Amino acid sequence: MLGIDLSGRLAFTTASSKGIGFGVARVLAKGGADVILLSRNEENLKKAKEKIKKESDVEVSYIVADLTKREELERSVWELKSIGEPDIFFFSTGGPKPGYFMETEMNDWEKAVELLLYPAVYLTKALIPSMERKGFGRIIYSTSVAIKEPIPNIALSNVVRISMAGLVRTLAKELAPKGITVNGIMPGIIRTDRMIQLAEDRAKREGKSVERALEEYAKPIPLGRLGEPEEIGYIVAFLASNLGSYINGAMIPVDGGRLNSVF
């Protein structure tokens, strides 16, 4: 156990077959919460479920869905309702394709919204009523430090992800009287498949190895290393627990001290 007790809680985590979503689901399960995983790849979901079950004595379910497809997004809500009513909702997603602003097309912007924002809004709307009935809910969105300090070569993510901060602040005020807190996590450079993708793109552009590109990503981090997905899970578990009950509307960086801004 983590010292944080989430027993009796049901957590729903998206993009959770690997990467940050899996790391969060894994930690929540270790804290005693039953978990519902969601991803578009069933094989990866099966593997994730097996790993969590080996580590934690909790119920683990999963939903196969591509949240960028409206029909699958709608179906995922029906499947979710057949499993239970989550007390904890952690929204995470992969990033849109890397590139500078003038390298993007208008359909890239539409796809970025369909990936980063629309599913978060749709799922949140579906989950709020049951949280209101229970008088308890924890909604936590994963964004990026890029919304405070834009990162080169990810224009789509820099721009669209910042809308999540507005969603956090808006819902924190609207839902707090109903016993629901809403917060955002701003991961820094975390060792995920997405990070490897960015490193590969950088290596190709600059004519260097992927390993060298990863080393250069770690250089500006005061702790001198990339973060691990479970390190996002620890702060999510805290926010989801009773210990985090007075934290609401916060945007919390988990970046090893990388951000330079004061506020």
Side-chain angles (χ1 to χ4, degrees):
M1 298 293 285
L2 298 169
I4 290 177
D5 187 8
L6 299 174
S7 300
R9 301 297 186 191
L10 177 61
F12 173 44
T13 62
T14 65
S16 46
S17 66
K18 55 185 178 179
I20 288 176
F22 174 70
V24 169
R26 186 182 182 189
V27 171
L28 293 176
K30 286 183 179 180
D34 295 329
V35 295
I36 304 170
L37 312 174
L38 183 145
S39 174
R40 61 186 177 183
N41 187 305
E42 186 167 15
E43 194 58 38
N44 288 340
L45 281 168
K46 289 178 179 178
K47 292 177 182 178
K49 177 179 178 178
E50 290 173 4
K51 289 177 183 177
I52 293 173
K53 289 292 289 182
K54 286 180 180 178
E55 298 176 339
S56 309
D57 185 22
V58 299
E59 293 296 321
V60 183
S61 307
Y62 67 75
I63 297 170
V64 183
D66 181 345
L67 297 184
T68 64
K69 297 179 179 178
R70 299 291 174 90
E71 65 278 8
E72 293 191 30
L73 179 58
E74 293 169 2
R75 175 178 53 76
S76 71
V77 170
W78 287 107
E79 289 192 33
L80 183 61
K81 289 180 178 179
S82 72
I83 297 171
E85 296 183 338
D87 308 285
I88 302 161
F89 173 40
F90 175 74
F91 179 82
S92 179
T93 182
K97 73 176 189 179
Y100 289 90
F101 179 82
M102 290 305 292
E103 295 174 344
T104 64
E105 304 292 341
M106 287 312 300
N107 68 319
D108 294 325
W109 291 92
E110 293 171 4
K111 289 179 180 178
V113 171
E114 290 174 352
L115 174 66
L116 300 176
L117 180 60
Y118 188 89
V121 172
Y122 188 93
L123 292 172
T124 301
K125 278 182 169 289
L127 292 171
I128 285 173
S130 64
M131 292 181 177
E132 288 179 332
R133 286 195 301 272
K134 289 182 284 189
F136 178 91
R138 297 287 189 265
I139 299 173
I140 303 150
Y141 300 111
S142 179
T143 60
S144 169
V145 292
I147 72 175
K148 286 186 71 71
E149 294 179 7
I151 297 172
N153 194 36
I154 56 169
L156 293 168
S157 188
N158 289 340
V159 176
V160 179
R161 283 192 191 276
I162 200 167
S163 60
M164 298 297 290
L167 183 61
V168 166
R169 293 288 187 172
T170 298
L171 292 180
K173 292 182 181 297
E174 292 185 7
L175 299 179
K178 301 169 183 179
I180 304 168
T181 63
V182 184
N183 292 289
I185 304 296
M186 297 184 292
I189 302 179
I190 309 299
R191 193 183 302 277
T192 63
D193 287 352
R194 166 68 167 173
M195 189 64 246
I196 301 301
Q197 179 191 26
L198 293 176
E200 288 173 343
D201 184 76
R202 181 172 178 174
K204 183 178 179 181
R205 288 173 181 273
E206 300 177 6
K208 61 186 65 171
S209 69
V210 175
E211 292 74 17
R212 179 62 179 165
L214 285 170
E215 290 173 3
E216 291 179 357
Y217 273 116
K219 277 184 180 179
I221 303 172
L223 285 179
R225 64 175 178 84
L226 305 187
E228 299 297 332
E230 287 75 18
E231 291 178 299
I232 305 300
Y234 300 144
I235 185 64
V236 172
F238 177 80
L239 292 172
S241 75
N242 291 332
L243 298 177
S245 60
Y246 201 61
I247 302 174
N248 187 39
M251 296 296 297
I252 304 171
V254 184
D255 68 342
R258 181 179 177 276
L259 283 174
N260 295 309
S261 54
V262 176
F263 297 106

